[in-house]
Amino acid sequence: MFDLISQYDDQLVDAFWLTIKLTAYSAVLALILGTVIAAMRVSPIPIARWFGTAYVTVFRNTPLTLIIVFCQIGLYTSLGLRLAGAGPTSLMENNFRFAVLGLSVYTAAFVCESLRSGINTVPLGQSEAGRSLGFTFTQNLRLVVLPQAFRAVIAPLGSVLIALTKNSTIASAITVAEASFLMAKMIETEAAVIEIGAIFAIGFIILTLPMGLLFGWLAKRYEVAR
């Protein structure tokens, strides 16, 4: 196993670095989009609630592989939509950005549901107090409800981030050269399936274990007293 690590050391670093970038960019976009969808799901406007519910229902029940492949084949190949300019690396950059897009819209549905559960833990009196002060729905959500909701769902959001890190391996379906893409390449050329599997399993444990510990500590540190 150590011989394989020495042989592929630069490629392993590049592959896991790409996995980290996929996770980071997708996490930021999913958090923003998921927060917006969660706000729509608790909105007093019926059409907004309908759209939020429809979004969560569709994307939670659609396979991630299908979403990412659709982004690349449907949007890029069929419709000609580009997320990167022309150039020798444009195809790889487009595939990377479409993978981020697919991961983001998929993960946003789970962020939304985690955050909505946090919103439901906020006492009704808090919202009523905000309305009595003249806050609009948006102001009430931003200043009163969401700060408490985020504190209540730190641990679930950590689980979503860990799942996103592992889901990033689906990006290999559109030839994004992240960790699982390199693993498949190594398995094709090296007669050491168990050793290769162990290398990448350890790599993902190194990525995800600190996340779990960090979010567990944050959840205890910032939990809302009831």
Side-chain angles (χ1 to χ4, degrees), residues 24-162:
Y25 293 149
S26 301
V28 172
L29 291 176
L31 182 61
I32 295 171
L33 181 57
T35 302
V36 172
I37 299 298
M40 296 178 74
R41 291 213 65 184
V42 299
S43 170
I45 303 173
I47 192 170
R49 292 199 304 272
W50 178 88
F51 180 84
T53 302
Y55 182 97
V56 170
T57 301
V58 170
F59 284 101
R60 283 183 70 186
N61 294 284
T62 302
L64 177 57
T65 304
L66 180 60
I67 294 173
I68 290 181
V69 170
F70 172 79
C71 287
Q72 202 271 344
I73 296 178
L75 299 181
Y76 178 61
T77 304
S78 300
L79 300 180
L81 178 64
R82 303 174 66 91
L83 298 181
T89 61
S90 62
L91 180 60
M92 290 185 293
E93 189 64 25
N94 266 294
N95 288 348
F96 176 82
R97 294 183 181 184
F98 278 119
V100 170
L101 175 62
L103 287 166
S104 299
V105 297
Y106 177 80
T107 307
F110 295 89
V111 171
C112 167
E113 288 303 275
S114 295
L115 190 53
R116 189 169 70 95
S117 69
I119 291 173
N120 290 335
T121 66
V122 178
L124 185 60
Q126 297 279 339
S127 299
E128 292 175 345
R131 286 195 295 269
S132 69
L133 292 173
F135 288 171
T136 64
F137 169 76
T138 303
Q139 290 174 324
N140 207 4
L141 198 65
R142 178 170 57 88
L143 299 175
V144 178
V145 177
L146 282 181
Q148 297 182 71
F150 272 111
R151 291 176 63 184
V153 296
I154 291 175
L157 287 178
S159 297
V160 171
L161 179 60
I162 291 172

Side-chain angles (χ1 to χ4, degrees), residues 162-183:
I162 291 172
L164 171 60
T165 305
K166 294 182 287 187
N167 286 340
S168 67
T169 57
I170 305 297
S172 63
I174 57 173
T175 66
V176 176
E178 44 72 56
S180 68
F181 186 84
L182 176 60
M183 182 177 71

Side-chain angles (χ1 to χ4, degrees), residues 16 20 165 198-212:
F16 275 104
I20 292 171
T165 305
I199 290 171
F200 285 91
I202 292 171
F204 274 98
I205 290 173
I206 292 173
L207 289 181
T208 58
L209 185 58
M211 292 183 197

